[in-house]
Amino acid sequence: MAVIMDGKSLAAKIKAQIRKQVDSLAIKPGLAVIIVGEDPASKIYVKGKINDCKECGIAGFEFVLPHTTPQSEILNLISQLNERDDVHGIICQLPLPRGIDQKSVMQAISPAKDVDSFHYENLGKTVSGNYGFLPCTPAGVMELLNHYGVEIGGKHAVVVNRSLIVGKPLAMMLLNANATVTICHSQTKNIPHMVSQADIVVTAVGRQNFITSDMVKPGAVVVDVSIIRREDGKLCGDVDFGPVSEIASHITPVPGSVGPMTRAMLMKNTLLSANGGLVG
């Protein structure tokens, strides 16, 4: 039976450490969260982030804009937040409404306050290994692997996702940790064969039971980034958890692992920004 990598408890420990460091600072870190529109899932995510701010002693500034807000107004708000001394981190909750150029919005956030690490400058640092702010979900995955003593160097990691939010930066971080990395995506032929060769599998496809036990090598480490709401209202991920947990050496549950770690890394990046790039 696989070791369950409990991101919820690890995230709680990280946030407690962040709170101690925040309390010792002469300034109060501030995180601005912009949400545009009425997407129910986005509202839940933003509420969680604001609650995390309170837990960590970080000032959370929430900006709720209607879905009809023109792009110019969003960019103007970001420009103002870039200049505010009490704001050390800025995020814009995705997805944005149709008609808004997501790329332009993300690139308008100052790299020094881009605590989601979506700006090209910060992504470039991730590729080079010259880390500043790390993308939150990939950073959360790496924290989990390191916490549970998963050996990365010399291992074959297969990442089933190629997005700029998860797949590409995580592949670079695994590569910088001396793994051999394969990225699979919608055009990859024979994904089950690719996954079956992996020592470490990370999946973020958004399809229930996409990763099944016959695809997983015995002893592999399996990380499920996806979160899917089933017809019965319960949450699950890409991995057929029960059968795969009988084969894997380590596995993440959904919910309760990568999601909490992602939010903890956002708090860590905000502290990093407020503390001039130093986190104890």
Side-chain angles (χ1 to χ4, degrees):
M1 185 70 180
V3 172
I4 306 300
M5 294 191 286
D6 183 0
K8 187 175 181 180
S9 63
L10 178 57
K13 292 177 182 177
I14 291 171
K15 287 189 290 184
Q17 293 169 357
I18 290 171
R19 180 62 192 244
K20 289 181 180 179
Q21 294 180 69
V22 166
D23 289 344
S24 69
L25 292 179
I27 60 171
K28 188 179 184 70
L31 174 65
V33 182
I34 303 168
I35 178 170
V36 186
E38 299 293 325
D39 182 72
S42 292
K43 285 184 173 181
I44 293 172
Y45 295 145
V46 167
K47 182 180 179 181
K49 290 168 184 176
I50 295 298
N51 286 339
D52 286 336
C53 285
K54 293 177 181 176
E55 188 177 345
C56 294
I58 292 170
F61 306 104
E62 185 177 359
F63 298 86
V64 181
L65 306 177
H67 75 278
T68 54
T69 303
Q71 180 171 310
S72 59
E73 188 173 324
I74 300 171
L75 294 176
N76 183 56
L77 172 59
I78 291 172
S79 178
Q80 294 175 32
L81 294 172
N82 282 338
E83 299 300 321
R84 279 179 53 170
D85 292 337
D86 60 339
V87 172
H88 303 92
I90 305 169
I91 65 171
C92 191
Q93 183 65 40
L94 303 178
L96 292 169
R98 184 176 299 178
I100 302 296
D101 182 5
Q102 180 175 304
K103 181 172 68 174
S104 296
V105 171
M106 294 299 102
Q107 299 310 305
I109 297 173
S110 167
K113 296 187 178 185
D114 170 38
V115 287
D116 260 337
S117 196
F118 292 163
H119 194 284
Y120 293 154
E121 180 176 321
N122 289 327
L123 285 172
K125 290 180 178 179
T126 299
V127 171
S128 70
N130 180 27
Y131 297 143
F133 298 131
L134 290 174
C136 296
T137 297
V141 170
M142 296 298 288
E143 286 270 358
L144 269 174
L145 296 177
N146 290 329
H147 177 76
Y148 281 92
V150 173
E151 186 178 354
I152 298 174
K155 300 298 182 180
H156 181 199
V158 173
V159 179
V160 193
N161 181 278
R162 60 172 169 181
S163 72
L164 282 175
I165 297 174
V166 179
K168 289 180 180 178
L170 178 58
M172 291 300 101
M173 292 168 70
L174 288 164
L175 186 63
N176 290 335
N178 296 316
T180 298
V181 183
T182 299
I183 298 180
C184 295
H185 49 80
S186 60
Q187 300 301 308
T188 300
K189 298 184 186 300
N190 202 352
I191 289 178
H193 173 69
M194 296 290 189
V195 172
S196 70
Q197 300 178 67
D199 302 304
I200 301 170
V201 181
V202 183
T203 178
V205 176
R207 287 173 55 186
Q208 183 178 347
N209 294 339
F210 183 79
I211 303 293
T212 53
S213 58
D214 60 317
M215 297 167 62
V216 176
K217 182 169 71 172
V221 175
V222 180
V223 178
D224 194 342
V225 176
S226 291
I227 186 161
I228 306 157
R229 189 169 296 279
R230 305 187 319 200
E231 291 182 359
D232 62 5
K234 294 183 178 180
L235 299 176
C236 67
D238 292 341
V239 177
D240 188 9
F241 184 84
V244 173
S245 66
E246 297 291 336
I247 295 172
S249 64
H250 296 72
I251 193 169
T252 58
V254 177
S257 193
V258 176
M261 289 299 298
T262 297
R263 286 165 39 193
M265 294 302 100
L266 177 63
M267 298 299 107
K268 186 174 181 178
N269 280 347
T270 304
L271 171 61
L272 184 72
S273 178
N275 203 25
L278 298 174
V279 174

